[in-house]
Amino acid sequence: MKEWRTTFCAMCAMGCGLEVLVEDNRMVKVRADKRNLRSEGYVCRKGTSVVHHQHNADRLLHPLKRVGSGFQRISWEQAISEIAEKMQATLDGYGPRSLAFMGGGGVGCHFEAGFMVSLMRALGSQYYYNPLGQEFSGYFWAMGEASGSQCVLFDADIHHADMLVTAGWNGMQSHQIPQAPRVLKEFSRNPDKLLVVIDPRKSETAKLADIHLALRPGTDALLTRAMIAIIVQEGWHDRDYIERHVSGFDQIEPWFSDFDAKAALEVCELDYDQVREVCHQFATRTSCMRPDLGVFMNRHSTATSYLHVILWAICGRIGVPGGHVIPGTIAAFGRHTDWDDPDVWHTLATDFAPTNGVFPPAVLPEEILSGHPQRIRSLYVSQANPLRSYPDTSAYEEAFERLDLLVTTEVAMTETAALSHYVLPATSAFEKWDSTFFPLTFPEVFFNMRRPIVEAEGERLEDGEILVRLADRLGLIPEIPESLYVAAKGERPRFFAELMKYALATPDVLERMPFVLGKTLGPVLGSTHLAALWGMLQVLPEQAQENAVRAGFQAGPGLGEEIFQGVLEHPQGLWIGRADVERNLELLQTPDGKVNVYIPRMAERVQSIDAASEARALEPDPPYPLVLNAGRHFDKNANTLLRNPAWNKRGRVCTLLMNPADAEALQLSDAQMVRVITEAGEELIELEVTDATRRGLVIMPHGFGLVYDGEVFGANANRLAKNTNRDEFAATPLHKYVRCSVEAAS
Ligand SMILES: Nc1nc2c(c(=O)[nH]1)N[C@H]1C(S)=C(S)[C@@H](COP(=O)(O)OP(=O)(O)OC[C@H]3O[C@@H](n4cnc5c(=O)[nH]c(N)nc54)[C@H](O)[C@@H]3O)O[C@H]1N2
Ligand SMILES: Nc1nc2c(c(=O)[nH]1)N[C@H]1C(S)=C(S)[C@@H](COP(=O)(O)OP(=O)(O)OC[C@H]3O[C@@H](n4cnc5c(=O)[nH]c(N)nc54)[C@H](O)[C@@H]3O)O[C@H]1N2
Ligand code: SF4
Ligand SMILES: [Mo]
């Protein structure tokens, strides 16, 4: 039996529509789905390679328990009861701080997260470690200070802008917005639009730029302070907008009014007149900016994000079409976490607080290895591979040896799974109901739900279902009356009424609602994740309800059900909302309803960033004379999601890029093996001599050094990244600025 089935890609968060030819329960061919309203037929080579993610030698079939140096197949019943027993023993012996959770929402499958956070909270823990804590936390935190909530984000409204500035974003390879290459090429082609790219090297995106600011690596904070200074000193800032919509400008103005921008730009190795021109254009056009990992994972990470927010605010670019808008979503983007709230945990050994409810993975090894009596002893990992993805593989290996319990829920036998006490097999993106909440569109709000297009082999379960079973065994689900199970099988409006009655009569049930829905409606719908979606749609925030009505849905008590039906009937997705463009700034959550640009916690740091201090800090360190970008995202990786090297048959794959002048000085030649040495460790990698990078900057990809079917492929960037090389505020690893040396491998 052969059939084309509708789904969407899970290899990055853009969720491009796919049609997949399924034959005898195997995915055999993939093509773009032109009906998908968000991707409109766009697909990249990762999307057309998803077959390698689905069918490969590392896929898991059964629950496994570590016995000696190997694994033994066990039943689900045994796995869940032993894990529950061990978690409970750790909790009883050492308290809730000894339990941590990690992952639970990768790039394309976010429905597990709600179950994971509910389980963690029910156990009394707050330790939720997630990849967002190693990329976006500083950015979210700075925006949260300005907007009043870390869930209220200023997203670049690129589609309505006529000037786009990118900073440390290589959208031509990494996407990060729907159909990124199409959008960037249009910016480049259209004479009425201006594309400015801030990137130390001629990236694939920089090649398209009208203006390429090839700054010295690691100097974005200094550049941004200089840009603000130029704008303020020239008087190009939007005084009227500031008066109406910005608070705190008087406090920060002196940081810029006599700042020496010329000296700063010399340190950045940029031309003053060119930067001045970019500033003038940014302040006068329909402009927006899109920063990404090149700045987030770099020196002064959080401070740079703060400076970016100041730049946008003083140019009147927040809450306006073509500027930075607060997009519509169907659920809050995490959980706002105030660092000064006494109820919010800080890590015990390293003293970092969570942003948006998420702790930074860079500190986890120290938290496990610490001598503190309440140190972390039990870790549940799902949809993450810390042993290859998070900084300092050696520190992680040492820490994981110290855990009393390491459980990994996975689709594949990964490096992390291989070290675990229990490995639980999950259904893949193409075997279950799931979705992503990341790709934001404006003003329309898009949603689609992936459905199973192949049947799961072996004993794989939906990630949420595994957590429901674990919660049940731990006794964390309140008693559910038989009548609710019966109601779940009937008309859903009646079920909703029954559920509300139950919720009112049962203490603490709201935080545990995913489990109640999973147990009652889950079996009826055939999916815990789908049951959770139904629940979410019944309690849509007011804003999302108004958006839905603007998009044509009927206001009233049936709204959630109507959207749910729409989702079921449209496997290619649908518009489920339309934001009110005119009233975007009303979504700010600051007490005065304005964008707050004065963040006292950052005042000292920002004022310390000047030409003299940066020139000193950037001096080369003699044992490590080069700067390593430890992890580029390019068309030959998909984080660690495509493990089978077969998907990269053509061309050179995992290489270290080095400028010809550096190679000559070091007497190294193209294609030879070299040793990269850092404070954290060393790795062997093939050298690629190319002017795609500048002098002094060497670049390697992220996501290699994977053990596939027993063999290692490529070099592991995280063996070279020291966990303590991180931002002082958000603990974001500074992967784009790792000092290193390179020598010929003997
Ligand atoms: N093909 C592919 N696409 C992906 C992924 C993947 O693995 N493969 N992963 C996805 C994920 S999870 C993410 S978060 C994104 C990341 O997407 P991006 O952030 O776009 O990716 P990167 O390659 O890490 O970095 C972007 C750019 O930063 C530049 N850069 C380096 N140092 C500096 C600096 O000092 N200043 C400035 N201004 N720029 C600098 C680099 O030269 C590079 O061009 O990609 C997503 N998309
Ligand atoms: N040195 C360095 N390290 C980096 C980066 C860098 O630039 N440099 N970039 C980082 C960035 S931006 C990110 S986002 C990360 C991400 O790193 P991770 O958080 O580790 O995420 P992924 O590599 O996307 O996938 C993790 C695992 O999820 C599993 N998986 C896939 N689908 C499912 C599923 O449905 N259920 C379950 N249970 N498991 C599933 C996959 O098999 C994979 O092993 O790593 C990063 N690490
Ligand atoms: S852009 Fe992302 S979602 Fe789209 S096909 Fe490529 S990897 Fe998949
Ligand atoms: Mo990421």
Side-chain angles (χ1 to χ4, degrees):
M1 232 262 293
K2 267 196 208 179
E3 195 186 23
W4 284 96
R5 299 196 174 140
T6 303
T7 184
F8 59 97
C9 180
M11 297 303 102
C12 89
M14 295 308 103
C16 298
L18 300 179
E19 289 183 287
V20 178
L21 185 66
V22 178
E23 188 175 356
D24 300 330
N25 206 39
R26 284 186 74 84
M27 292 163 50
V28 291
K29 245 191 213 157
V30 182
R31 67 185 184 206
D33 182 1
K34 294 197 179 72
R35 297 162 306 159
N36 186 296
L37 297 167
R38 185 170 56 195
S39 60
E40 297 179 305
Y42 179 81
V43 68
C44 78
R45 69 176 290 263
K46 289 178 291 165
T48 52
S49 302
V50 290
V51 172
H52 290 294
H53 176 73
Q54 173 63 23
H55 305 291
N56 66 66
D58 286 351
R59 285 298 308 270
L60 296 163
L61 290 165
H62 306 286
L64 301 172
K65 175 181 182 175
R66 189 156 97 201
V67 180
S69 59
F71 284 105
Q72 183 185 52
R73 177 178 164 182
I74 56 172
S75 68
W76 270 113
E77 171 58 29
Q78 185 186 346
I80 296 291
S81 71
E82 289 187 14
I83 293 167
E85 201 177 293
K86 288 180 181 165
M87 274 190 181
Q88 190 66 53
T90 308
L91 179 65
D92 295 342
Y94 306 100
R97 278 186 176 265
S98 59
L99 305 175
F101 293 79
M102 173 176 264
V107 288
C109 297
H110 291 171
F111 268 79
E112 182 186 19
F115 292 91
M116 191 184 264
V117 171
S118 297
L119 178 71
M120 175 190 79
R121 296 231 154 221
L123 289 166
S125 175
Q126 296 182 16
Y127 285 147
Y128 180 45
Y129 287 84
N130 178 284
L132 289 173
Q134 51 92 64
E135 46 188 344
F136 300 129
S137 277
Y139 179 56
F140 287 174
W141 181 79
M143 268 189 291
E145 294 296 294
S147 71
S149 166
Q150 290 149 8
C151 308
V152 174
L153 305 177
F154 306 140
D155 205 39
D157 184 19
I158 296 174
H159 285 272
H160 303 104
D162 65 25
M163 174 180 184
L164 169 63
V165 180
T166 74
W169 173 43
N170 188 15
M172 286 302 290
Q173 299 265 294
S174 68
H175 298 92
Q176 301 281 70
I177 62 165
Q179 309 180 42
R182 286 181 179 168
V183 174
L184 288 164
K185 282 184 200 155
E186 162 61 15
F187 252 93
S188 178
R189 239 187 330 248
N190 188 332
D192 297 328
K193 294 193 179 203
L194 183 66
L195 179 64
V196 178
V197 173
I198 304 175
D199 197 308
R201 68 183 188 98
K202 204 149 195 81
S203 68
E204 291 75 5
T205 306
K207 284 184 188 147
L208 298 179
D210 298 300
I211 300 175
H212 175 201
L213 298 180
L215 83 177
R216 180 170 174 185
T219 58
D220 291 84
L222 189 61
L223 165 64
T224 315
R225 190 170 179 202
M227 288 174 73
I228 299 167
I230 292 170
I231 289 168
V232 167
Q233 290 167 22
E234 297 280 0
W236 293 334
H237 49 304
D238 187 336
R239 288 196 185 79
D240 180 47
Y241 178 93
I242 293 170
E243 181 66 32
R244 283 184 295 132
H245 301 301
V246 176
S247 64
F249 181 67
D250 293 344
Q251 279 106 313
I252 64 157
E253 195 181 4
W255 306 351
F256 306 99
S257 42
D258 36 57
F259 180 71
D260 188 346
K262 276 206 174 111
L265 293 174
E266 256 168 53
V267 175
C268 299
E269 296 173 7
L270 290 172
D271 177 59
Y272 176 81
D273 293 328
Q274 195 177 36
V275 173
R276 185 177 176 275
E277 180 55 22
V278 169
C279 291
H280 185 245
Q281 298 283 342
F282 193 80
T284 50
R285 293 180 73 141
T286 306
S287 59
C288 64
M289 183 176 192
R290 193 171 190 293
D292 215 319
L293 299 188
V295 292
F296 302 150
M297 289 183 170
N298 216 320
R299 303 177 62 251
H300 302 304
S301 167
T302 304
T304 311
S305 290
Y306 175 33
L307 286 161
H308 283 160
V309 171
I310 294 175
L311 174 69
W312 310 338
I314 65 162
C315 293
R317 305 310 309 145
I318 295 176
V320 298
H324 291 261
V325 291
I326 302 164
T329 50
I330 60 168
F333 215 79
R335 179 193 287 257
H336 176 81
T337 344
D338 179 354
W339 291 358
D340 297 318
D341 178 344
D343 293 333
V344 168
W345 288 2
H346 287 228
T347 53
L348 288 171
T350 52
D351 194 22
F352 281 98
T355 296
N356 246 334
V358 165
F359 282 90
V363 306
L364 186 62
E366 289 151 276
E367 294 301 319
I368 295 170
L369 292 168
S370 112
H372 198 286
Q374 292 178 59
R375 71 178 181 86
I376 292 169
R377 291 163 198 271
S378 157
L379 179 67
Y380 185 101
V381 179
S382 185
Q383 296 197 60
N385 185 9
L387 259 288
R388 286 300 172 274
S389 303
Y390 304 149
D392 212 331
T393 306
S394 307
Y396 260 101
E397 284 167 347
E398 189 191 344
F400 280 3
E401 281 298 314
R402 283 280 304 281
L403 287 172
D404 297 342
L405 177 66
L406 176 59
V407 180
T408 297
T409 295
E410 253 297 346
V411 298
M413 180 51 84
T414 62
E415 296 68 26
T416 302
L419 289 190
S420 304
H421 299 108
Y422 294 88
V423 181
L424 305 178
T427 42
S428 76
F430 305 103
E431 297 164 340
K432 67 175 161 217
W433 289 89
D434 217 319
S435 190
T436 165
F437 294 101
F438 280 149
L440 303 167
T441 45
F442 187 83
E444 277 83 14
V445 185
F446 184 80
F447 189 73
N448 61 351
M449 192 77 180
R450 219 182 279 111
R451 56 200 64 209
I453 57 164
V454 281
E455 226 172 274
E457 288 166 26
E459 295 178 276
R460 295 167 191 156
L461 289 178
E462 236 178 35
D463 317 77
E465 171 68 23
I466 298 170
L467 290 161
V468 171
R469 291 187 187 190
L470 193 53
D472 213 2
R473 183 56 60 99
L474 281 159
L476 300 172
I477 310 182
E479 205 180 318
I480 300 172
E482 191 52 36
S483 57
L484 203 55
Y485 287 103
V486 174
K489 294 187 188 130
E491 295 276 307
R492 275 196 298 270
R494 275 247 8 244
F495 173 63
F496 181 70
E498 282 289 319
L499 191 64
M500 286 301 101
K501 246 195 317 187
Y502 166 73
L504 286 173
T506 317
D508 291 338
V509 81
L510 285 183
E511 287 266 9
R512 299 175 194 199
M513 198 46 96
F515 304 133
V516 174
L517 286 166
K519 278 190 77 171
T520 53
L521 196 56
V524 179
L525 295 174
S527 161
T528 45
H529 296 178
L530 201 53
L533 172 68
W534 179 84
M536 268 173 64
L537 293 171
Q538 307 313 304
V539 292
L540 278 181
E542 204 179 313
Q543 193 55 42
Q545 293 185 33
E546 288 170 19
N547 286 345
V549 172
R550 259 190 296 277
F553 291 90
Q554 198 71 42
L559 179 68
E561 187 64 40
E562 192 193 346
I563 300 176
F564 186 69
Q565 278 308 323
V567 171
L568 293 185
E569 285 158 19
H570 294 82
Q572 73 279 26
L574 74 166
W575 300 120
I576 58 153
R578 192 182 157 78
D580 184 346
V581 179
E582 300 304 315
R583 295 169 53 197
N584 198 251
L585 280 168
E586 289 175 27
L587 301 177
L588 289 170
Q589 293 193 15
T590 44
D592 60 2
K594 293 184 174 185
V595 179
N596 167 44
V597 292
Y598 178 55
I599 307 179
R601 201 181 223 114
M602 303 242 44
E604 207 181 306
R605 168 57 53 223
V606 167
Q607 290 175 90
S608 76
I609 299 167
D610 60 23
S613 68
E614 287 292 279
R616 265 195 312 277
L618 292 159
E619 285 277 312
D621 181 9
Y624 302 116
L626 298 167
V627 173
L628 169 69
N629 171 344
R632 84 171 162 135
H633 299 247
F634 71 142
D635 68 349
K636 292 192 170 64
N637 60 10
N639 290 350
T640 66
L641 293 168
L642 284 162
R643 302 181 64 81
N644 183 350
W647 86 283
N648 272 325
K649 273 189 292 234
R650 258 169 290 169
R652 302 170 76 175
V653 183
C654 183
T655 59
L656 181 79
L657 309 186
M658 182 183 275
N659 184 277
D662 285 329
E664 200 190 319
L666 291 166
Q667 294 180 311
L668 297 171
S669 47
D670 187 63
Q672 81 174 93
M673 291 301 286
V674 293
R675 190 185 310 281
V676 183
I677 305 162
T678 68
E679 185 195 0
E682 48 182 80
E683 278 286 287
L684 291 179
I685 187 168
E686 181 192 324
L687 187 73
E688 183 170 343
V689 178
T690 165
D691 50 23
T693 185
R694 63 191 274 148
R695 265 210 94 162
L697 178 68
V698 290
I699 305 173
M700 73 184 285
H702 143 64
F704 287 93
L706 301 179
V707 186
Y708 176 75
D709 202 14
E711 271 190 53
V712 183
F713 187 80
N716 169 12
N718 282 306
R719 187 71 75 185
L720 298 171
K722 187 89 193 127
N723 53 352
T724 47
N725 180 33
R726 63 192 175 214
D727 180 59
E728 70 196 283
F729 296 95
T732 311
L734 311 183
H735 287 314
K736 310 298 170 189
Y737 205 92
V738 177
R739 292 182 186 269
C740 77
S741 66
V742 178
E743 59 184 40
S746 45

